[in-house]
Amino acid sequence: QVQLVESGGGLVQPGGSLILSCAASGSVVRVDDMDWYRRAPGKERQLVASITSGGVANLAESVKGRFIISRDNARKTMYLKMNKLKAEDADLYYCNADILDKGPGGEYIASKSWGQGTQVTVAA
């Protein structure tokens, strides 16, 4: 059983910073591409940032210059450093990852996993 758990959300003032984490646990053999998404109630889910296992990163235009995505492959953890936060960044942030894990019979299983989300609130 594979699990993705996000943490680090909270309340921050406009212009402030937060660091989100997404950790994979369970029978994980390998974590490939990882992504951060966000979705506010009533809105479409938006891809915020993505990073390959080799560290190649992509950021949405709306967060370029403010957010930094990184990962620690040994810890199976991805991070999102969010700087200069704006009111429009307030959202529920989810992580997503392409994971290779081992099933109960020792077989390899490739799947796309989602975390439960961590809330980011930006308010004075």
Side-chain angles (χ1 to χ4, degrees):
Q1 183 77 18
V2 171
Q3 217 177 5
L4 285 179
V5 178
E6 301 98 335
S7 60
L11 172 64
V12 64
Q13 292 185 339
S17 299
L18 280 176
I19 300 176
L20 305 184
S21 299
C22 169
S25 62
S27 53
V28 177
V29 175
R30 189 180 73 229
V31 182
D32 294 320
D33 293 350
M34 302 183 81
D35 310 297
W36 284 103
Y37 284 83
R38 64 187 182 187
R39 181 171 58 192
K43 292 187 179 180
E44 294 286 324
R45 186 172 59 197
Q46 178 191 14
L47 176 62
V48 178
S50 60
I51 188 166
T52 67
S53 57
V56 177
N58 281 290
L59 296 164
E61 285 298 322
S62 60
V63 304
K64 278 183 180 177
R66 300 188 298 122
F67 290 12
I68 300 169
I69 185 172
S70 62
R71 64 189 287 171
D72 183 333
N73 289 336
R75 296 178 187 271
K76 302 183 182 71
T77 301
M78 170 179 65
Y79 306 95
L80 187 66
K81 175 77 186 301
M82 304 187 294
N83 300 311
K84 302 178 184 178
L85 281 161
K86 306 175 182 178
E88 52 263 41
D89 294 318
D91 254 323
L92 188 61
Y93 284 71
Y94 300 86
C95 68
N96 170 269
D98 293 325
I99 291 178
L100 185 69
D101 71 305
K102 269 194 174 181
E107 71 277 19
Y108 289 102
I109 302 171
S111 62
K112 190 174 284 290
S113 296
W114 289 90
Q116 293 299 306
T118 185
Q119 182 66 44
V120 172
T121 303
V122 183

